[in-house]
Amino acid sequence: MERAKIDRINELARKSKVEPLNEAELAEQKALRDEYIAEIRLSFGGMLDNTVIQYPDGTRKSLKKDK
């Protein structure tokens, strides 16, 4: 996600603590947060796909989902 979008999320969060956001700002905040969460989930899923568990007996098992 672009740095400008993250800054905008933070700006809206700070503003909401001081005064209520209008409908347009609430919609923008929700859209930006949804986009941010989607990117986090995608990134985390990729990280889990490359994670391997090694058991005490030396065997290794990948966490990659079978497709």
Side-chain angles (χ1 to χ4, degrees):
M1 177 172 255
E2 300 155 12
R3 186 73 211 167
K5 289 183 177 183
I6 294 172
D7 291 342
R8 182 64 179 155
I9 291 170
N10 292 330
E11 180 183 331
L12 289 169
R14 282 190 295 275
K15 183 178 178 184
S16 71
K17 290 179 182 179
V18 177
E19 62 187 65
L21 300 177
N22 63 36
E23 291 298 319
E25 290 170 330
L26 285 171
E28 178 185 10
Q29 184 182 43
K30 181 176 178 358
L32 288 170
R33 283 180 173 175
D34 290 345
E35 181 181 345
Y36 181 76
I37 289 171
E39 287 192 25
I40 294 270
R41 287 180 177 155
L42 185 64
S43 174
F44 189 69
M47 190 181 343
L48 287 178
D49 285 346
N50 294 317
T51 301
V52 177
I53 297 174
Q54 183 169 351
Y55 294 97
D57 65 357
T59 59
R60 296 171 61 129
K61 183 173 188 318
S62 175
L63 292 180
K64 187 178 276 190
K65 288 183 178 179
D66 295 328
K67 295 181 180 178

